[in-house]
């Protein structure tokens, strides 16, 4: 069992501000780096608080 766990969140679509350009790409890049360092990575993109909980 891997004891190195990472949660990567890449939200770019918000209700009250303009959509951001890079969070999804940034999350993908971070996921790759952490995976190469033997982290068990869980990545979510454009999620809301209820789904995240």
């Amino acid at each position: 069992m891997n004891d190195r766990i990472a949660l990567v969140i890449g939200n770019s679509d918000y209700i009250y501000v303009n959509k951001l350009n890079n969070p999804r790409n940034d999350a993908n890049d971070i996921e790759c780096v952490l995976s190469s360092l033997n982290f068990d990575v869980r990545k979510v993109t454009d999620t809301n608080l209820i789904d995240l909980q």
Side-chain angles (χ1 to χ4, degrees):
M1 180 171 176
N2 192 348
D3 60 349
R4 297 174 64 149
I5 301 169
L7 172 62
V8 177
I9 303 170
N11 282 349
S12 59
D13 198 10
Y14 291 94
I15 295 172
Y16 300 110
V17 296
N18 294 334
K19 187 171 184 169
L20 302 174
N21 293 328
N22 286 323
R24 184 177 295 238
N25 295 332
D26 294 342
N28 290 336
D29 291 344
I30 293 297
E31 177 187 28
C32 288
V33 170
L34 291 173
S35 292
S36 73
L37 296 171
N38 296 318
F39 278 81
D40 181 10
V41 180
R42 301 291 189 250
K43 180 184 69 177
V44 293
T45 56
D46 293 325
T47 189
N48 60 45
L49 180 59
I50 292 169
D51 291 339
L52 189 58
Q53 291 174 331

